[in-house]
Amino acid sequence: MASLTAGNRRPVRLADIAKAAGVSHGTASNVFSRPEIVREEVRERVKAAAEAMGYGGPDPKGRLLRAGKVNAIGVATAEPLSYFFDDPFARVMMASISQACDATGAGISLVSAANNEQLAWNIQSALVDGFIVFCIEGGSRLVELARERKLPFVALDLDSEDGAVAAIGVDNIAGASLAARHLTDLGHRRFAVLALPFVDDRTGLVSPEQVRAATYGGTRDRLTGYLQELSRVGVDTSKVPVYETANDAATTRTGLETIFAAKEPPTAILAMSDRIALVTLEWLSARKLNVPNDVSVVGFDGVPEAAVSEPPLTTIAQPIAEMGRLAVKAILESDGKVSRQQLPVDLIVRASSAPPRG
Amino acid sequence: MASLTAGNRRPVRLADIAKAAGVSHGTASNVFSRPEIVREEVRERVKAAAEAMGYGGPDPKGRLLRAGKVNAIGVATAEPLSYFFDDPFARVMMASISQACDATGAGISLVSAANNEQLAWNIQSALVDGFIVFCIEGGSRLVELARERKLPFVALDLDSEDGAVAAIGVDNIAGASLAARHLTDLGHRRFAVLALPFVDDRTGLVSPEQVRAATYGGTRDRLTGYLQELSRVGVDTSKVPVYETANDAATTRTGLETIFAAKEPPTAILAMSDRIALVTLEWLSARKLNVPNDVSVVGFDGVPEAAVSEPPLTTIAQPIAEMGRLAVKAILESDGKVSRQQLPVDLIVRASSAPPRG
DNA sequence: AGCAAAATTTGAATCGATCCAACGAAAATG
DNA sequence: CATTTTCGTTGGATCGATTCAAATTTTGCT
């Protein structure tokens, strides 16, 4: 009881217990992986030896090399690891990825890193059968890294033009258009856009040229969808402020300050993510601006929090569960060919949007 | 451009490109792991060969065996994988574990499984340097499984008497006592307890004998803390209903139905988790019972949601971030000795508790 | 040129298992 | 009793890399 065998190291291998039990390593291996084919008497002897020597079962490290398959999929992002548990969209997506993995018995490895170098190393050394890549900031670099591993991988939400990478995303143009249409139908004509990043590490009002040079096609597409619809009803889109946030609370608030500093503040805000929209609701409420009477807000994503916010958020719902399922399927049943799928989105009307005053 | 090499399989190994480049595999290995020690001309030649043959870099599977360390920690639970992203407590804990891992560059593998057999296999074959075990339902079995791997591991929130397992938890008795004390100080004398599971797969009112036979010591300790304080002020604890939930919405609601069916319903509810407490707030509000005027509610855990509920929840905050950090540290710096740490908790008074009516 | 020191490269050994063809012994069959 | 089957066991080959002592080539110096 006082001194257990598990002192500090565990140099006890299968071969050791085979020797101790007086059998070949082949037989010892069988005792663990196919017990039914070894004679009971031998089996018990080997197991006893294993027990006595403090053997923890065949080391997966060894088994892995032979087996080839890890039976785990890697989920990668260029954000810190805690992004998976903090960000509402990521959480819902992860929950649906989890379900798909549970169903097939696959495990999940979280791969990420703050700095570039570490990220590269982590991706290169991840023990996985494939990657699902979250394309937020730094998405392109991440995709490049993942691609270099030559493992199956899909990018989530990537609207790159690069046809050589498999991707699962939504129809951003149609979705954004739907959001804008909802507001124009209500009668709004004064808008502001709170955008996701167009490129890395920049925030602030963006110009059309900057939009054209966007790294993130998804962001650009959403903007295209918004502006398409706005110009359809005659809004001068060159006057619509487009503020690029980092999809976090701080930059969103700065954006709102900027937008509402104008002489003619908008009556409707198009937010490219629910996260941005929810921060906006808070900010407006703190400013004593009533939503939806003073300002209407429409989000994008359809995270659960949007249903219980104050007021509940009108938003464009992505089929997150479906996307997760498809992504896992794409990895596990990878046939080597890249496929790009675009899923439809839904407008969910809640209480954060109404006709403008007057 | 049309036909890339990466057809379907990747039988291209380091040895292949070594041969192609006309160097030994030792040198080829160096090109990737210690490029600075190989002559530039050779380095370029090998890299070119790798590129030409579609080599994705040294396979971690091979490297792993030699290196010994995986550089990842496994987080295990007997719940489905999505538990990590759904449960508020788990999420906060995971966020703090993530941060600790990020800081040290370690990865995270999520290990879980719905059924028993699959769980055992997943734990046995997890490629990790150690486990952090979430002890909710099925905790004891899980701990047993993890222990068999003979890897460093810590149990979170486990109050087993088994001194041979490392555990990080809070002082449940003191915390519960604090919660009850807060309510008795306010003048409450009629209580009900909504408990976490005492054993697996059972819900309903529990008797003292059932409490004594609890599998989950943590649940029992919290109850002990509650009752200690209640009897101190003269409450007949044998009359206090203790309803065992499964820590989910459905069983909590059933518990509430049961509790409020009594002729003298409680004026204060002691909930053993914030999740239970939050569901309780909703249920009471749907029943038109005002919190805190008609009923006071005190939770346990201190998840972020508790701060923004309606009304904000009075609760016992666990130092979740600290626990996560300690758990990761225990795994990564494991010295083979098991340590059991008990952290202090804090009472956070918010708007869900007030003196009883009259 | 000659020789020691420094810089590179080599190839065998190792990490910890699984797989499988071949083999020996026991059981079934003629 | 000889011959086939069946069953269990053996040990070498393999998975894909890294490591390191020894061998080889280069460089530096007189």
Side-chain angles (χ1 to χ4, degrees), chain A residues 238-263:
Chain A
S238 70
K239 297 268 164 49
V240 175
V242 176
Y243 193 96
E244 176 173 10
T245 74
N247 196 30
D248 63 7
T251 58
T252 298
R253 288 197 201 100
T254 313
L256 285 161
E257 304 282 359
T258 311
I259 288 168
F260 280 89
K263 46 255 143 272

Side-chain angles (χ1 to χ4, degrees), chain B residues 28 54 99 121 128 222 262 283 300 325:
Chain B
Q99 265 156 22
W121 172 256
V128 298
R222 291 188 189 180
W283 187 89
F300 206 119
R325 188 165 36 245

Side-chain angles (χ1 to χ4, degrees), chain B residues 129-160:
Chain B
D129 297 321
F131 287 102
I132 294 179
V133 177
F134 271 62
C135 292
I136 343 292
E137 281 218 55
S140 45
R141 189 177 62 234
L142 197 53
V143 166
E144 197 40 51
L145 248 17
R147 195 219 297 259
E148 273 169 15
R149 270 296 293 276
K150 316 252 157 134
L151 287 176
F153 85 100
V154 285
L156 280 183
D157 229 2
L158 177 82
D159 269 280
S160 134

Side-chain angles (χ1 to χ4, degrees), chain A residues 13-14 29 55 59 66:
Chain A
R13 305 181 313 282
L14 186 52
S29 173
Y55 181 64
D59 187 332
R66 196 96 237 291

Side-chain angles (χ1 to χ4, degrees), chain B residues 252-313:
Chain B
T252 299
R253 289 197 200 100
T254 312
L256 285 160
E257 303 283 358
T258 310
I259 287 168
F260 280 88
K263 49 256 139 264
E264 283 226 313
T267 62
I269 295 194
L270 290 158
M272 285 198 195
S273 80
D274 283 352
R275 197 176 194 180
I276 294 175
L278 293 171
V279 172
T280 300
L281 292 183
E282 265 178 43
W283 187 89
L284 290 170
S285 149
R287 279 283 187 114
K288 304 282 181 257
L289 284 167
N290 180 272
V291 177
N293 294 326
D294 296 320
V295 184
S296 287
V297 178
V298 177
F300 206 119
D301 283 348
V303 304
E305 282 87 337
V308 298
S309 58
E310 189 42 44
L313 183 71

Side-chain angles (χ1 to χ4, degrees), chain B residues 14 29 55 59:
Chain B
L14 186 52
S29 173
Y55 181 64
D59 187 331

